[in-house]
Amino acid sequence: MEAWRNFNTGVWCDQIDVSNFIKMNYTPYDGDSSFLQGPTERTEKTMKRVNELLIEENKKGGVLDVDTERVLSILSHDAGYVVDKDTDIIVGLQTDAPLKRGVSPFAGLRNTVQACNAYGYELSEKIKDEFTYRTTHNTGVFRAYTDTMKAARHAGILTGLPDAYARGRIIGDYRRIALYGMDYLIEQKKLDKKKMGEKEVLDEDTIHNLEDLSKQLDFMNQLKGLALRYGYDISKPATTAKEAIQWLYFGYLGAIKEQNGAANSIGRIAEFIDIYIQRDIEEGVLDEVHAQELIDDLVVKLRLVRHLRTPEYNDLFAGDPVWVTMALAGVTGEGKHMVSKTSFRVLQTLYNLGSSAEPNITVLWSDRLPEGFKKFCAQVSIDTDSIQYENDDVMRRMYGDDYSIACCVSAMKTGKQMQFFGARCNLAKVLLMALNGGKDEIEGHQIAPVGEVFEEKELSYDEVYAAYKKYLSWMARLYVNTMNIIHYMHDKYAYERLMMSLHDTDVERLMAFGVSGFSVAIDSLSAIKYAKVTPVKDDRGIITDFKVEGKFPKYGNDDDRADLIGKDLIEYFYHELCKTPCYRGARHTLSILTITSNVMYGRKTGSTPDGRKAGEPFAPGANPMHGRDCEGALASLNSVAKLNYACCQDGISNTFSITPDALGTDEDDRIEHLTTMLDGYFEQDAHHLNVNVLNREKLIAAMEDPTLYPSLTIRVSGYAVNFNKLTRDKQEEVIARTFHQSM
């Protein structure tokens, strides 16, 4: 085939196997960043237009425009361009104009109405009428919820569940479109459906799968129609680098037009794209300037992805994130690093286009990555605070060498695994519930089974931990059953047809659970064990405060007395989750990850035995509580590194801030020290690290005067955000975090 000219052949020629294609054809790059090129005049013109639009979006309260007359779908809108048809290189927008948001009521009509109203828009009566007589995902969920599930949700023990919005976290293998073309992919799905229908017994699972395949085939054909609106025929494989990027971007675009999921990542595409760029350069039809321009223009489109959200959603996930997560580098199963020149080119966009939260660039770190790439990553982190790192040496053992990162930090095999996710439960609040015999400490309602209420005398660690484990077991069962309802209904009423069509038909399912209040729970248990903690009850007989006497070890100081409490706690909860089967045979995974909802969770939680007062924010993710990790940067990292990734395969998020002076006195020193620190951290099998290199004073100045640093980007908890897009309470919480001033 002309499209496959000069490619090395392999298994990929006879079956869908993008991983084999990449390993047979990519070119490892061992050099430094000196080959990189700045923005072209065309790119600068495009970014001038983008920045003008972003200013207007901010002036209008964060939403530039909303199309309230049409339900967003693959073919709902005419072609749209950032500048115009002749200037855009990679084409395609969610609607017919940049930053115009569409409405997608399939997850829930009420949320769509509320989101429109929040920004001064009114959903059309036609759409309201249509969805009034249509069951949405949200309607189905609340029909099935038990009273206990509703009570736990209301109290904030379970929060952030995708029961009122699309679930997201599903990554289509968009590379397949470029490599094989849509006609071949459609034919393979038809064969799968035919084989499935020929079974002697069509049981419930098979019937479910047959219906799924019919839906997938419908939307695969619609995707071809979307491309034709822009003048492209994606029925056949891509023949050039520009086509390869355009083809896979059409797949991603179709997915985000169909689903406004919480996190629709684009996957691991850089090394795949590099194969096409390298061939074009060797054939003399592309040079380095225009290779960078292709990547720049793709990233421009990814920065413009928008979904319409309610204020309640934004309270959980602040800063208007969409998590277009793009993974770079890593190592093959044979031990060969996967850094290509396009790995560098993606990072270069943070200079050519300016720092940005999107796409959520994630470097898959390994000690086997070339030094030139490691040092460039460190330089970009120091300059932009825009990238995160995950341990490829740990994840590769479990997911092979062709996995992608969904949302913030969650790994899954590209095109072979999908994920059901469901935010998190509040470990600190469950501890308070255990102390109060199953009652909510805020409103006083009996939510969990009735148990012993602890008296106003010194707490016994063994007695408290025994009660805590009892309620954690109850919480785990409730959590799994709640998730089962959510994802049953989402499959029924808001199924991701296009995204799932770009997976293997026999897909493995993961169900991702999560926790918040982790460090609060650790320090609370440590205080009870090593200090003297006495409960204080109110006139309802409910424990609402604690008297803490004496010192106790705190998580985050490389002290096993505290750190191992956390390790035991998370392993216990994970094993309790695994006792309750998941919908569609999904495999249980768990994360310690809060996004920015650590502020909201703290608001919903009373005073805790560690000395934290009611309403105060939690630390994000697996971080130690603000200011308690006082033994230096390395001690803090060592504490988090003790957590067992095997029990937290959905991710262990660690957001780390260090001052420039703590890293070194000049740029070379800082790059060297950050590179060494990353190597040392990940050698301990630690999973994830967000890196911020900045001073607290800069954030304070930006909060008081947003015009000082309009594009200031920081990592917050598994993702990056424009600091000025955070609400005041979120900004204050970020400023209150530990900024390490010594190693």
Side-chain angles (χ1 to χ4, degrees):
M1 292 174 61
E2 170 63 15
W4 294 353
R5 66 190 183 280
N6 299 326
F7 288 155
N8 294 322
T9 58
V11 173
W12 67 271
C13 297
D14 302 311
Q15 64 188 51
I16 298 172
D17 193 337
V18 181
S19 175
N20 177 256
F21 167 75
I22 293 171
K23 285 194 276 189
M24 294 296 297
N25 288 282
Y26 86 100
T27 303
Y29 178 67
D30 294 299
D32 60 21
S33 61
S34 58
F35 74 95
L36 289 168
Q37 300 294 315
T40 64
E41 183 178 346
R42 187 216 63 86
T43 297
E44 290 177 336
K45 177 182 177 182
T46 298
M47 280 308 297
K48 182 174 184 295
R49 168 67 174 151
V50 168
N51 288 328
E52 290 169 351
L53 288 166
L54 293 174
I55 290 170
E56 289 303 310
E57 185 181 51
N58 288 334
K59 285 180 180 178
K60 294 192 70 176
V63 173
L64 181 64
D65 195 9
V66 181
D67 185 343
T68 60
E69 299 297 323
R70 287 171 287 186
V71 174
L72 183 63
S73 190
I74 293 178
L75 298 175
S76 58
H77 291 75
D78 292 334
Y81 302 91
V82 177
V83 180
D84 56 50
K85 184 177 181 180
D86 295 326
T87 303
D88 288 15
I89 298 176
I90 304 303
V91 297
L93 298 174
Q94 287 164 284
T95 60
D96 51 10
L99 301 183
K100 180 193 285 188
R101 306 187 191 215
V103 296
S104 184
F106 298 100
L109 176 60
R110 185 177 67 174
N111 267 31
T112 303
V113 171
Q114 289 175 344
C116 289
N117 294 345
Y119 298 101
Y121 295 88
E122 186 68 35
L123 187 64
S124 75
E125 292 301 321
K126 178 183 176 183
I127 295 176
K128 287 181 184 177
D129 289 345
E130 178 185 351
F131 280 85
T132 296
Y133 298 101
R134 180 176 191 152
T135 301
T136 65
H137 159 62
N138 177 249
T139 304
V141 167
F142 277 85
R143 283 174 179 168
Y145 266 176
T146 66
D147 290 342
T148 303
M149 291 171 182
K150 293 176 184 177
R153 186 184 188 274
H154 172 76
I157 307 168
L158 284 177
T159 308
L161 301 167
D163 53 16
Y165 58 91
R167 59 188 169 200
R169 282 207 191 181
I170 298 175
I171 311 172
D173 188 357
Y174 307 111
R175 307 167 303 183
R176 295 182 180 188
I177 304 171
L179 184 56
Y180 297 106
M182 286 304 298
D183 282 355
Y184 178 78
L185 299 180
I186 289 170
E187 188 59 34
Q188 294 306 301
K189 284 293 178 185
K190 287 180 177 178
L191 289 173
D192 288 347
K193 187 170 184 285
K194 183 174 184 295
K195 290 176 185 176
M196 196 174 292
E198 291 172 348
K199 290 183 177 180
E200 289 188 11
V201 178
L202 298 184
D203 57 16
E204 184 178 351
D205 286 342
T206 304
I207 295 168
H208 196 166
N209 288 328
L210 285 169
E211 184 183 26
D212 285 351
L213 286 169
S214 291
K215 294 175 181 177
Q216 291 175 21
L217 285 163
D218 178 23
F219 273 62
M220 293 173 88
N221 281 298
Q222 287 193 37
L223 184 65
K224 290 170 61 176
L226 171 65
L228 287 172
R229 289 190 176 177
Y230 287 91
Y232 289 98
D233 178 7
I234 61 172
S235 63
K236 299 295 186 285
T239 61
T240 64
K242 178 183 174 182
E243 285 188 356
I245 296 170
Q246 184 67 71
W247 270 219
L248 70 83
Y249 174 65
F250 274 137
Y252 180 73
L253 179 63
I256 60 173
K257 284 167 72 69
E258 181 201 353
Q259 283 285 333
N260 65 339
N264 293 327
S265 304
I266 197 166
R268 194 170 181 173
I269 62 174
E271 286 62 55
F272 174 82
I273 290 171
D274 190 77
I275 296 168
Y276 289 84
I277 289 177
Q278 184 67 22
R279 185 179 66 177
D280 280 6
I281 289 174
E282 290 173 358
E283 291 179 350
V285 297
L286 189 67
D287 59 21
E288 187 54 51
V289 170
H290 292 94
Q292 183 66 53
E293 187 178 46
L294 284 172
I295 302 302
D296 287 347
D297 211 53
L298 171 64
V299 169
V300 167
K301 302 304 180 299
L302 300 181
R303 291 187 179 192
L304 294 176
V305 173
R306 294 292 187 275
H307 293 298
L308 186 63
R309 308 299 196 192
T310 63
E312 290 76 15
Y313 180 97
N314 293 332
D315 197 37
L316 282 171
F317 312 125
D320 203 16
V322 289
W323 296 282
V324 188
T325 306
M326 184 190 299
L328 306 176
V331 175
T332 69
E334 295 75 28
K336 183 178 171 184
H337 78 74
M338 297 184 73
V339 173
S340 68
K341 283 190 172 181
T342 298
S343 311
F344 280 83
R345 293 178 185 118
V346 170
L347 295 176
Q348 178 69 9
T349 64
L350 292 164
Y351 295 114
N352 287 1
L353 310 177
S355 62
S356 175
E358 302 287 355
N360 183 23
I361 298 174
T362 304
V363 174
L364 306 178
W365 192 269
S366 169
D367 61 357
R368 301 183 193 181
L369 299 184
E371 285 301 309
F373 183 69
K374 286 183 179 180
K375 289 184 176 180
F376 188 56
C377 289
Q379 177 188 324
V380 174
S381 280
I382 292 167
D383 291 343
T384 72
D385 300 312
S386 293
I387 60 176
Q388 68 177 357
Y389 302 89
E390 297 196 45
N391 194 337
D392 181 68
D393 293 329
V394 165
M395 293 183 291
R396 192 172 64 252
R397 298 172 203 156
M398 301 173 184
Y399 296 97
D401 55 17
D402 189 36
Y403 62 89
S404 296
I405 303 300
C407 184
C408 298
V409 299
S410 309
M412 64 187 78
K413 297 177 184 178
T414 310
K416 298 182 179 302
Q417 293 177 324
M418 62 85 66
Q419 187 186 88
F420 303 135
F421 93 99
R424 53 207 56 84
C425 76
N426 185 334
L427 291 182
K429 199 170 178 75
V430 176
L431 175 59
L432 296 179
M433 183 175 289
L435 294 173
N436 280 304
K439 286 186 177 180
D440 171 40
E441 78 284 359
I442 303 295
E443 297 184 355
H445 300 313
Q446 187 77 41
I447 296 176
V450 176
E452 174 194 358
V453 179
F454 282 73
E455 297 302 320
E456 290 180 296
K457 62 181 183 180
E458 182 179 355
L459 293 173
S460 159
Y461 176 78
D462 290 340
E463 291 177 2
V464 170
Y465 207 10
Y468 191 25
K469 285 186 173 181
K470 173 184 172 183
Y471 281 96
L472 286 171
S473 300
W474 167 83
M475 183 77 259
R477 288 192 300 274
L478 181 72
Y479 196 177
V480 177
N481 287 327
T482 303
M483 292 273 277
N484 286 344
I485 288 175
I486 289 170
H487 294 290
Y488 174 92
M489 294 301 175
H490 203 285
D491 272 356
K492 189 172 183 180
Y493 298 115
Y495 177 63
E496 297 88 348
R497 293 156 287 197
L498 182 61
M499 281 188 248
M500 291 308 301
S501 76
L502 298 171
H503 287 71
D504 292 355
T505 296
D506 186 19
V507 68
E508 181 185 0
R509 296 175 176 87
L510 310 175
M511 189 169 282
F513 302 89
V515 298
S516 69
F518 179 63
S519 56
V520 173
I522 297 171
D523 287 352
S524 293
L525 291 170
S526 179
I528 293 169
K529 186 172 185 178
Y530 295 104
K532 179 180 179 181
V533 178
T534 306
V536 178
K537 295 184 180 181
D538 65 7
D539 55 10
R540 301 171 299 171
I542 292 176
I543 297 169
T544 56
D545 207 349
F546 300 88
K547 183 181 179 182
V548 183
E549 299 172 85
K551 295 181 179 180
F552 57 93
K554 299 175 179 68
Y555 170 63
N557 296 292
D558 199 10
D559 187 330
D560 280 353
R561 292 176 297 167
D563 298 345
L564 296 185
I565 289 174
K567 185 175 184 294
D568 178 76
L569 173 62
I570 203 67
E571 290 176 7
Y572 178 82
F573 187 63
Y574 170 71
H575 290 302
E576 290 303 299
L577 287 168
C578 292
K579 291 178 180 179
T580 304
C582 289
Y583 167 65
R584 295 191 90 170
R587 178 165 62 85
H588 304 73
T589 63
L590 179 62
S591 69
I592 312 175
L593 169 71
T594 57
I595 320 295
T596 52
S597 58
N598 57 303
V599 177
M600 181 279 300
Y601 274 109
R603 197 183 304 142
K604 287 178 173 284
T605 305
S607 298
T608 43
D610 60 337
R612 179 196 146 273
K613 293 303 179 183
E616 291 181 0
F618 295 161
N623 279 59
M625 276 294 285
H626 311 336
R628 294 184 187 172
D629 46 345
C630 52
E631 295 297 321
L634 297 182
S636 179
L637 293 175
N638 289 342
S639 287
V640 179
K642 294 171 188 176
L643 299 172
N644 184 2
Y645 179 70
C647 293
C648 297
Q649 288 188 43
D650 194 49
I652 302 170
S653 175
N654 186 10
T655 302
F656 177 83
S657 297
I658 189 167
T659 63
D661 288 346
L663 273 182
T665 55
D666 58 40
E667 183 180 59
D668 288 343
D669 274 352
R670 290 166 184 164
I671 290 172
E672 185 68 34
H673 291 156
L674 181 54
T675 302
T676 302
M677 188 180 73
L678 288 165
D679 275 338
Y681 178 61
F682 289 128
E683 280 175 5
Q684 302 177 72
D685 281 356
H687 174 237
H688 165 268
L689 194 66
N690 279 321
V691 174
N692 292 309
V693 182
L694 74 173
N695 291 297
R696 192 190 315 271
E697 291 73 21
K698 184 175 183 179
L699 296 183
I700 294 172
M703 180 175 68
E704 299 301 336
D705 183 0
T707 63
L708 288 176
Y709 305 103
S711 61
L712 176 61
T713 301
I714 60 167
R715 304 294 310 184
V716 284
S717 178
Y719 73 106
V721 69
N722 182 298
F723 184 73
N724 291 335
K725 286 189 175 184
L726 295 174
T727 55
R728 180 82 180 203
D729 62 335
K730 305 292 193 307
Q731 290 178 332
E732 289 174 345
E733 185 274 324
V734 168
I735 289 169
R737 296 178 183 181
T738 302
F739 286 71
H740 292 285
Q741 298 182 33
S742 67
M743 295 294 279

